[in-house]
Amino acid sequence: VQLQASGGGLMQAGGSLRLSCVVSGRMISSSDYLGWFRQAPGKEREFVAGISWSGTYMDYADSVKGRFTITKDNVQNTVYLQMNSLKPVDTAVYSCAQGPYGSRWSSDYYYWGQGTQVTVSS
């Protein structure tokens, strides 16, 4: 299984970015779960958002709730993270991963994509 994240960049505070994560190498089933994590310099990796491939369950970290939206495209095998009202504290390397249903623990996840840098200036 390969996951490829893209869409990062430099944005001013208050702006928006959309990250994409393409999953390839196997068919995704309704029981699969995809998550976005981020890691800022000097900090531990943290959960951002997750979605079940069935689309029936979505989860957000409190720090992004109401600003970020996770969606998926079953045809394109892609998970998106729409990030609005960006803040400087959102600056981090964002990575997508496949793991157990509903988990927020990065150590539970078994497939990871490379990260994409998001930098938000004040």
Side-chain angles (χ1 to χ4, degrees), residues 63-108:
S63 58
V64 306
K65 199 172 293 184
R67 300 188 298 122
F68 291 10
T69 303
I70 189 169
T71 59
K72 61 177 180 64
D73 183 327
N74 289 40
V75 175
Q76 300 293 328
N77 276 7
T78 301
V79 176
Y80 301 100
L81 186 67
Q82 178 67 42
M83 307 186 295
N84 298 330
S85 302
L86 283 164
K87 305 175 182 179
V89 294
D90 295 319
T91 295
V93 174
Y94 285 71
S95 301
C96 58
Q98 183 179 348
Y101 194 99
S103 175
R104 290 187 169 200
W105 299 100
S106 61
S107 57
D108 289 342

Side-chain angles (χ1 to χ4, degrees), residues 26-34 50-58 72 74 77 79 98-102 110:
R26 63 178 280 270
M27 292 296 294
I28 302 176
S29 70
S30 59
S31 62
D32 285 333
Y33 191 79
L34 280 299
I51 187 168
S52 64
W53 202 249
S54 64
T56 57
Y57 180 78
M58 288 166 281
K72 61 177 180 64
N74 289 40
N77 276 7
V79 176
Q98 183 179 348
Y101 194 99
Y110 30 83

